[in-house]
Amino acid sequence: MRWWGWGHDGVSFTHADKPELGPFLRRHLGLDVARVASRPVAFEDLHVPAPSLPAGLAEALGATASTDPLDRVVHARGKSLRDLVRHRRGELGRLPDVVVRPAGEDEVAAIMRAALEADAVLIPFGGGTSISGSLEARPEERRTVISLDLSRLSRVLAVDDVSRLATVQAGALGPDLERQLNAQGWTLGHFPDSFAHSTLGGWIATRSSGMQSDRYGDIGDLTRALRVVTPSGLLVTRPVPSTSTGPSVREMVLGSEGRLGVITEATLHVRRVPQQRTILGYLFPSWDAGLAAMRDIAASEAGVSVSRVSDAGETQFSFATRKRPTILDRLKSKALTTYLQRRRGFDLEAMCLSFIGYEGGRRHVAAQRKLVGRIAGRHGGICIGSSPGALYDQKKFDTPYIRDFLLDRGALADVSETAAPWSRLSAVYDAVMAAARGAFDELGVRGYIMCHLSHSYHAGACLYFTFALMPTGDELAQYDRVKSAIQQAFIDSGATLSHHHAVGTEHAEWLEADISPPGVAMLRALFTGTDPGANLNPGKIV
Ligand SMILES: Cc1cc2nc3c(=O)[nH]c(=O)nc-3n(C[C@H](O)[C@H](O)[C@H](O)COP(=O)(O)OP(=O)(O)OC[C@H]3O[C@@H](n4cnc5c(N)ncnc54)[C@H](O)[C@@H]3O)c2cc1C
């Protein structure tokens, strides 16, 4: 992973093959794609302070202990916008003093013992894709900070074919995990947008959700059992389908962001790789129509794997990122717009793009498509075939690179996501749009906000907002103003502070309003009871 941004060196987002993107960004943000306004400082120019690592602790941490400056910089933070902006400027914050890479659970336990004995801070590190400030040590931390990188624990250990359960080491990155499972005909079905660079342990510790969660569930649903190295020993839960053992310890570990221990293994639901998998595109005449269709699909017997609809703003952005069309594409697109406007009465500015994913046996998929087609039709939607869905599926893991592209050109872009009951979704959407636009106006900056619904459930859904602004002054202060307005609107309109990005430090301010003061008191008691010396990733969540 790049130390200052997303992904691998040599891979980046470009506008060169997307002729409509430049005009779109100029129109909405006043941004000139041809003008690179800022670049990250050179690594050689960073001031990396000397590590504070007592000799006894260094020895106890074992042969993999690394104080290499690049290692320490890469492990210092995640990939939130605030992380990227500060790293690019060379403001490194409180770097870990040492990075360790244990090869197994015994070594994790030995590192935990050494850390506690030396009263050091231990921060588990999966893929480093946290977007909520879950990885950074507190700025005032005076104790030695150890980043425990789980990348060597990357194996699928066993698959129980009868129970459809796989036991997997926590450091497995998404692609490694799927490759190993697919080789045996299985899939976990968990595909967050950060899939390429995030790990099983990180997913569990942040309660992650993948794009196919409608069918497979969130990571909380997929995780049956856990092994966790804690200050008081190895915590082991059993891979039973359900249990009545009091408040769920498994659930306590889910979303614990390294505060209760180091997850070393998990036993997970797996399913057979589906015979058929397809994502179809649909267009709806309005956001309200799209929302209503998603709600009816969730209430139906369709059992789709993806249900997603973008608002008009995001639909226009998606169209603006299309690659240079061929003559045939142009003709098709002209025919489609003529049909939509003349025959269906669509207002192209209000139209909303949707993707519905289908998986399973051929007959099952055919039946699902028929049922969804009827529901979409009832809400004025039309199916536009599989090519937009295939394109979306291919480019979804490339999209994260766009934040670095925009930062290079002086724009800040970020996301905030939430969940609410179906009956409140429209109100949440309206409140967030008003709050963000109010913040742009108050700051006097050009800004853009767009949204999609993803992850549908029986009782509600996730709304995922993406916003961008062209700052005119202190960029992080202006970013904070917009981000806070959005988060506050979530809470004020009855939604949660985050559906799948966790609390970390970014969202901690809204936790008490979300789960009530006694809820926060319970979490505090859990963390201090389990980790009385506050050695495990202190300062996160509460
Ligand atoms: C561009 C982008 C797109 C994203 N898309 C999605 C998405 O679609 N869905 C989604 O859910 N999230 C998404 N995220 C957020 C992020 O990828 C998730 O929070 C992910 O689960 C973090 O996994 P990780 O392995 O990178 O964990 P890290 O970032 O390394 O760690 C996150 C937290 O988990 C703790 N942790 C990590 N491993 C362990 C362990 N083994 N034991 C105990 N604690 C541990 C860390 O201490 C930290 O508190 C996205 C982030 C970015 C930047």
Side-chain angles (χ1 to χ4, degrees), residues 148-329:
L148 190 155
D149 181 320
L150 286 128
S151 54
R152 292 173 74 203
L153 275 75
S154 61
R155 281 183 307 127
V156 172
L157 298 174
V159 180
D160 171 351
D161 280 10
V162 178
S163 316
R164 290 168 292 155
L165 289 172
T167 301
V168 184
Q169 290 184 306
L173 286 164
D176 293 340
L177 190 161
E178 275 298 316
R179 221 177 353 259
Q180 292 176 64
L181 287 177
N182 291 173
Q184 301 180 52
W186 298 98
T187 178
L188 178 64
H190 185 73
F191 300 105
D193 291 355
S194 56
F195 176 76
H197 296 283
S198 55
T199 62
L200 172 62
W203 299 339
I204 294 170
T206 58
R207 302 197 76 116
S208 164
S209 185
M211 70 174 265
Q212 282 158 231
S213 66
D214 284 17
R215 173 172 162 86
Y216 293 92
D218 299 326
I219 200 69
D221 306 307
L222 292 167
T223 304
R224 275 284 53 83
L226 291 159
R227 289 172 72 90
V228 187
V229 173
T230 76
S232 55
L234 187 64
L235 165 70
V236 183
T237 65
R238 296 179 176 215
V240 290
S242 189
T243 171
S244 178
T245 46
S248 166
V249 170
R250 183 186 64 89
E251 282 270 344
M252 289 175 200
V253 175
L254 283 161
S256 57
E257 300 188 30
R259 293 218 50 180
L260 297 176
V262 182
I263 303 158
T264 52
E265 262 176 52
T267 303
L268 309 159
H269 288 182
V270 286
R271 295 184 187 221
R272 284 291 175 196
V273 173
Q275 196 183 18
Q276 210 181 12
R277 177 169 186 271
T278 181
I279 298 182
L280 294 184
Y282 296 79
L283 287 171
F284 288 93
S286 67
W287 173 240
D288 286 344
L291 278 189
M294 297 306 116
R295 194 183 59 226
D296 285 357
I297 292 169
S300 77
E301 288 174 356
V304 299
S305 60
V306 179
S307 56
R308 174 184 169 118
V309 63
S310 295
D311 68 359
E314 194 172 276
T315 300
Q316 284 161 27
F317 174 74
S318 294
F319 290 150
T321 56
R322 277 184 301 206
K323 295 217 166 147
R324 204 175 294 285
T326 61
I327 292 176
L328 187 63
D329 289 337

Side-chain angles (χ1 to χ4, degrees), residues 491 496-497 510-521 523 541-542:
I491 294 297
T496 183
L497 59 80
W510 292 277
L511 187 66
E512 191 169 282
D514 193 324
I515 64 170
S516 81
V520 173
L523 286 184
I541 307 178
V542 294

